[in-house]
Amino acid sequence: MARLDEVGTPTLDLHLHSTASDGQLSPADVVSLAARHGLRTIALTDHDSTDGINDAQTAGNLLGIEVIPGIELSTAVDAGELHMLGYLIDPNNEQLMARLAQFRDSRDRRAEVMVERLNAAGVVVDLVRVRELSAGGAIGRPHVARALVESGQATSTNDAFERYLIPGRAGFVPHFRLEPVGAIELIHAAGGVAVLAHPFSVADLHTTLLKLVAAGLDGLEVFYSLYNDEQRSLLVTLAERYGLVPTGGSDFHGFGEREGHEIGSSKVPADTVDRLRDAARRLH
Ligand code: AMP
Ligand code: ZN
Ligand code: FE
Ligand code: FE
């Protein structure tokens, strides 16, 4: 594979969010922004939704940007959460669409419970406003956080998370329980390949990775925006050891919210999508 220092200006970004989940830009605007940053290939990886992919691909066709269909599924592990990326999925796969609709329903109910709990704790949040901010996309903590910032109860989304939305705080409510292995199966059944997102978010990475590899994991998000060279080389070693495709991206959600996640900010090797396609061909 390409060595870290051989990757020049990034032309790929395989981890991007839009208004189909908790991003701030529409799918088409994400694609135009990618074009302005000189990217050639991107993947839209909204949480629990493929609803933005069609619009992103239409915009991509106009602007000469290749848009790879993607998804980011939230899964539950004993130590907290684990995010699984899916690439090259069929966004219209019926089983996938049915499950995603279920996850989004559960996110909607979770938002209600979050708001109830916050209000009970004296933190006034308006559910109607939270729903408005989610604009019909998969609703999540960032929408509640933005409502808290708007009403002056937090100074930034990050502040809102720290005060009210992380485990142990008044507004924290866990997700619908999907196991990581179930997420891999769902992605495979939709014709895609499964990639462990931001691996250092996983508490017991080495043990978990063994289980995921046994369950058919295809890739590892090595070139994640927040990771330094040392972390990336450790992940490169793990990817080689387990035969996983190293992928990467920014986890861009919009402007002025989370530092270090600027679009195109991560050096992702140019052959990454070819390697994902090879993995998908071998599998399907
Ligand atoms: P949810 O899926 O509703 O639990 O929300 C999780 C999402 O919130 C993550 O995917 C990030 O996009 C975002 N997020 C997590 N931590 C923070 C933070 N400290 N500040 C802003 N956004 C965050
Ligand atoms: Zn997000
Ligand atoms: Fe994530
Ligand atoms: Fe993400």
Side-chain angles (χ1 to χ4, degrees):
M1 67 163 269
R3 287 177 25 176
L4 299 190
D5 51 11
E6 283 171 351
V7 183
T9 309
T11 57
L12 272 82
D13 190 332
L14 301 181
H15 193 153
L16 299 167
H17 294 273
S18 76
T19 48
S21 64
D22 56 8
Q24 293 175 315
L25 303 187
S26 71
D29 286 347
V30 170
V31 178
S32 328
L33 187 67
R36 288 206 294 282
H37 279 74
L39 298 176
R40 310 289 319 193
T41 305
I42 63 169
L44 196 66
T45 53
D46 273 306
H47 302 284
D48 300 342
S49 176
T50 56
D51 290 353
I53 291 172
N54 197 26
D55 282 359
Q57 286 182 327
T58 304
N61 289 340
L62 287 171
L63 296 166
I65 305 269
E66 185 183 19
V67 178
I68 307 296
I71 185 99
E72 183 173 20
L73 298 174
S74 298
T75 78
V77 285
D78 291 339
E81 265 192 44
L82 179 155
H83 291 182
M84 190 69 68
L85 293 160
Y87 292 111
L88 303 167
I89 45 167
D90 167 8
N92 302 314
N93 176 277
E94 275 184 28
Q95 188 194 355
L96 179 65
M97 288 206 301
R99 292 287 276 160
L100 295 179
Q102 199 184 5
F103 300 154
R104 290 196 300 268
D105 277 354
S106 142
R107 279 178 169 278
D108 211 60
R109 284 197 304 280
R110 170 177 177 251
E112 285 172 19
V113 179
M114 283 195 274
V115 168
E116 271 166 29
R117 290 201 187 161
L118 285 168
N119 287 339
V123 184
V124 180
V125 194
D126 181 12
L127 183 62
V128 173
R129 184 62 190 144
V130 172
R131 288 225 169 92
E132 262 170 27
L133 288 167
S134 77
I139 198 163
R141 282 181 289 167
H143 302 114
V144 179
R146 287 169 200 154
L148 287 163
V149 174
E150 265 186 6
S151 60
Q153 292 171 102
T155 54
S156 64
T157 23
N158 196 42
D159 183 46
F161 266 80
E162 303 277 313
R163 280 170 192 266
Y164 305 117
L165 299 171
I166 56 176
R169 300 285 190 251
F172 177 75
V173 181
H175 276 288
F176 176 90
R177 197 171 171 96
L178 168 70
E179 310 287 329
V181 172
I184 295 176
E185 286 167 1
L186 194 56
I187 290 164
H188 284 173
V193 289
V195 174
L196 175 61
H198 36 76
F200 290 119
S201 303
V202 180
D204 45 358
L205 177 59
H206 291 270
T207 327
T208 303
L209 205 47
L210 284 175
K211 287 187 204 148
L212 298 181
V213 168
L217 184 73
D218 306 286
L220 194 65
E221 194 176 39
V222 169
F223 308 99
Y224 188 64
S225 48
L226 298 183
Y227 296 164
N228 60 32
D229 285 350
E230 197 183 325
Q231 291 173 306
R232 289 171 181 225
S233 350
L234 173 63
L235 293 175
V236 166
T237 309
L238 287 176
E240 281 172 357
R241 181 180 306 161
Y242 296 116
L244 301 171
V245 178
T247 72
S250 63
D251 210 356
F252 173 76
H253 281 74
F255 302 111
E257 222 168 63
R258 300 180 75 198
E259 266 174 51
H261 291 286
E262 291 76 24
I263 195 165
S265 57
S266 200
K267 291 187 175 180
V268 184
D271 63 354
T272 304
V273 172
D274 290 339
R275 297 187 64 180
L276 287 173
R277 287 214 167 90
D278 288 345
R281 254 193 302 274
R282 279 195 301 274
L283 185 67
H284 298 293

